[in-house]
Amino acid sequence: MTSTHSNQTKHWQYIDAQHHLHPFSAHAELAQEGARVIVKAEGVYLYDSEGKRLLDGMAGLWCVNVGYGREELALAGYKALKELPYYNTFFQTTHPYVAELSQKLAEITPAGIERFFFANSGSEGNDSAVKIIRYFWNLQGKPNKKTIIARKKAYHGVTMIAASLSGLTSMHPQADLPLPGFVHIDCPYWYGDGGNETPEDFGLRIARALETKILELGADNVAAFVAEPVQGAGGLIIPPSTYWPEIQRICRKYDVLLHVDEVICGFGRTGQWFGSDTYGIEPDMINMAKGLSSGYQPIAAVGLGSRVGDAVFNSKEEWSHGFTYSGHPVAAAVALANLEVLQKEHLVEKAGGATGAYFQKKLRELADHPLVGETRGVGLLGAIELVRDKATRDRFDPALEVGYRCRKHSFASGLVMRAIGDTMVLSPPLSITEAETDELFDLARHAIDLIARELGYL
Ligand code: PXG
């Protein structure tokens, strides 16, 4: 069949609109406009079915840390597919890929995290983590310690438990969530909620909301506090320096487990291997996905410190949990190759060094724009908050859809930039060069200029 690009694109858009249910999409609008068809990717660039090139300022969904088109990862997957395309890790069985990946993770994850359970997505990881937390307290003879405290604007995934942990309220009503036993406290969103307080005072006050909630529920009823080091999908909320030390103190004081969701922050995103390293957090357990394989294969892992890990390992009974694809050989092989690239090319050190510093410098340069209330970021994470009035931090009427329109301009001019409300978010591959970073911020400024012009600011 011969066809022009456009005919082919229309065909894919048509069959897709007929038969494909998309995550987080309004389907009526999608069918009308037609989905963007991405056919190829290389380095930091995506190519659509019309041949248009896009700089991927989001590394896919915050995950392609080593960039696209890595031969090493493709070859590792191919080799595993030929040698051992599948075998499971149930019933006293293992294989070299998952054994070696577990050992590697023990080396690079925060101190004390040494045992790993594998899942296929960040959501499954968090579901598994909650089952482990419940089992842990049952084993301790404290079956009442069951309530889990998470935060508003948190994103922990979409399965029933992961969505219950999540504090983005738009995720709850369609499925009657959260389930009982999950509560949410305020998050350390200083620019939005801090008013005249210093970030440090605000960080302490918001951390102490955890203590208040524990006392209200009774420490004997609280199992764990669950949080991302930097909240990603909730709007890139970066905690003031006082926040995490106080959270850590409170968790220890009341014997509440600290489960840190490293799905976005893990594998170099914040400039160190884990967000826990960047913020000095000592978690009891962590969840990781995305950057673990740079998104090349679906794989997640829950890492356990000795307290929780020993309890599960030393229990005489069988642990009744696991997925057909837990520790899948191909995914494990690709994850290993990905970690090798991160190490060999010092991508994490660069994210915490020159690459990250350059990205943050370019990000801050946008702060002078009349529409930009705040820029904030760490490592290779950046947020640009668009406001109606810089002096008062007044926001735009949501009906104006300022962020969404800015994102559309950005796409049209060749940059994938995420809009979370009116906050524009960037999270490019860690492999991004200075020239590509320049291009990224030129395109971002151009998109913000276009929306500013439409709103009469320029
Ligand atoms: N925890 C965190 C911190 C996440 O960011 C998950 C868990 C769930 O992972 P899975 O693999 O089940 O999706 C995530 C996922 C966005 C966006 O647009 C963010 C995520 C997923 C999809 C879209 O910001 N984060």
Side-chain angles (χ1 to χ4, degrees), residues 22-84:
H22 287 248
F24 287 86
S25 299
H27 285 82
E29 186 189 327
L30 182 70
Q32 210 171 33
E33 292 190 5
R36 184 176 303 101
V37 185
I38 302 296
V39 292
K40 203 172 87 142
E42 184 64 36
V44 298
Y45 294 103
L46 303 168
Y47 297 85
D48 76 9
S49 53
E50 297 292 294
K52 185 176 166 60
R53 190 178 88 158
L54 291 159
L55 199 167
D56 187 2
M58 282 304 294
L61 286 174
W62 327 70
C63 56
V64 187
N65 289 12
V66 296
Y68 298 96
R70 292 289 190 156
E71 194 74 5
E72 302 92 319
L73 276 66
L75 288 174
Y78 178 72
K79 185 167 166 281
L81 275 165
K82 296 237 308 186
E83 250 171 40
L84 187 68

Side-chain angles (χ1 to χ4, degrees), residues 24 58 61-62 120-126 155-159 162 228 230 232-234 261-265 287 289-290 300 418 420:
F24 287 86
M58 282 304 294
L61 286 174
W62 327 70
N120 311 289
S121 68
S123 301
E124 286 179 4
N126 278 325
Y155 188 87
H156 297 295
V158 293
T159 53
E228 306 153 74
V230 170
D261 187 342
E262 294 271 7
V263 167
I264 285 180
C265 293
N287 183 32
K290 296 189 189 281
R418 170 102 161 74
I420 301 172

Side-chain angles (χ1 to χ4, degrees), residues 214-235:
I214 292 171
L215 292 172
E216 178 193 317
L217 295 164
D220 290 345
N221 300 315
V222 180
F225 177 62
V226 177
E228 306 153 74
V230 170
Q231 285 174 258

Side-chain angles (χ1 to χ4, degrees), residues 333-360:
V334 172
L336 271 168
N338 171 61
L339 298 179
E340 250 176 65
V341 170
L342 284 171
Q343 286 188 318
K344 205 173 62 199
E345 298 185 10
H346 305 289
L347 291 175
V348 177
E349 291 78 3
K350 287 180 184 165
T355 312
Y358 193 68
F359 177 85
Q360 294 299 327

Side-chain angles (χ1 to χ4, degrees), residues 91-425:
F91 319 130
Q92 280 95 30
T93 306
T94 194
H95 53 75
Y97 303 106
V98 74
E100 283 173 20
L101 179 60
S102 304
Q103 185 199 35
K104 187 84 187 165
L105 287 175
E107 272 169 40
I108 63 176
T109 49
I113 303 289
E114 51 203 28
R115 294 188 178 105
F116 302 89
F117 169 75
F118 292 94
N120 311 289
S121 68
S123 301
E124 286 179 4
N126 278 325
D127 256 48
S128 303
V130 169
K131 286 180 79 174
I132 292 169
I133 291 165
R134 289 187 172 202
Y135 185 36
F136 172 78
W137 288 117
N138 288 340
L139 285 169
Q140 302 305 297
K142 295 190 174 171
N144 291 334
K145 256 177 117 61
K146 285 291 153 59
T147 301
I148 296 196
I149 303 176
R151 298 181 298 182
K152 295 173 187 166
K153 295 183 187 288
Y155 188 87
H156 297 295
V158 293
T159 53
M160 294 292 277
I161 293 292
S164 293
L165 287 173
S166 297
L168 287 162
T169 46
S170 58
M171 295 171 70
H172 291 153
Q174 290 176 359
D176 308 317
L177 296 172
L179 294 172
F182 295 86
V183 299
H184 299 89
I185 58 173
D186 285 339
C187 61
Y189 177 28
W190 176 75
Y191 186 74
D193 303 332
N196 294 326
E197 270 174 296
T198 64
E200 291 72 26
D201 286 350
F202 175 75
L204 268 186
R205 180 167 67 76
I206 295 299
R208 286 180 186 151
L210 174 61
E211 188 159 34
T212 307
K213 184 55 84 179
I214 292 171
L215 292 172
E216 178 193 317
L217 295 164
D220 290 345
N221 300 315
V222 180
F225 177 62
V226 177
E228 306 153 74
V230 170
Q231 285 174 258
L236 205 72
I237 296 163
I238 299 188
S241 61
T242 46
Y243 180 77
W244 273 112
E246 185 67 359
I247 290 286
Q248 185 85 58
R249 180 191 71 76
I250 294 166
C251 286
R252 290 221 176 99
K253 179 168 177 194
Y254 297 99
D255 200 15
V256 165
L257 293 177
L258 178 55
H259 171 51
V260 176
D261 187 342
E262 294 271 7
V263 167
I264 285 180
C265 293
F267 305 97
R269 184 55 59 199
T270 65
Q272 298 204 41
W273 274 94
F274 290 86
S276 295
D277 301 325
T278 301
Y279 292 99
I281 309 166
E282 293 173 13
D284 292 294
M285 44 201 289
I286 64 176
N287 183 32
M288 59 210 121
K290 296 189 189 281
L292 169 54
S293 68
S294 284
Y296 279 53
Q297 284 286 294
I299 183 167
V302 181
L304 305 179
S306 58
R307 186 173 181 212
V308 178
D310 286 352
V312 176
F313 265 61
N314 296 336
S315 168
K316 295 244 165 358
E317 66 184 337
E318 177 175 293
W319 183 42
S320 302
H321 184 68
F323 303 103
T324 300
Y325 302 131
S326 283
H328 192 286
V330 179
V334 172
L336 271 168
N338 171 61
L339 298 179
E340 250 176 65
V341 170
L342 284 171
Q343 286 188 318
K344 205 173 62 199
E345 298 185 10
H346 305 289
L347 291 175
V348 177
E349 291 78 3
K350 287 180 184 165
T355 312
Y358 193 68
F359 177 85
Q360 294 299 327
K361 174 179 160 286
K362 297 293 292 187
L363 174 72
R364 309 292 160 187
E365 283 171 15
L366 283 170
D368 67 359
H369 195 284
L371 217 57
V372 175
E374 186 189 53
T375 59
R376 56 179 177 268
V378 60
L380 281 170
L381 286 169
I384 306 153
E385 191 145 342
L386 308 180
V387 294
R388 196 182 65 74
D389 186 330
K390 279 169 86 108
T392 61
R393 299 186 191 173
D394 258 7
R395 304 312 206 287
F396 288 105
D397 179 350
L400 287 172
E401 298 189 309
V402 170
Y404 178 68
R405 284 159 61 192
C406 180
R407 189 187 78 135
K408 283 201 149 186
H409 288 309
S410 172
F411 262 110
S413 41
L415 171 69
V416 181
M417 181 160 62
R418 170 102 161 74
I420 301 172
D422 292 345
T423 300
M424 309 312 296
V425 174

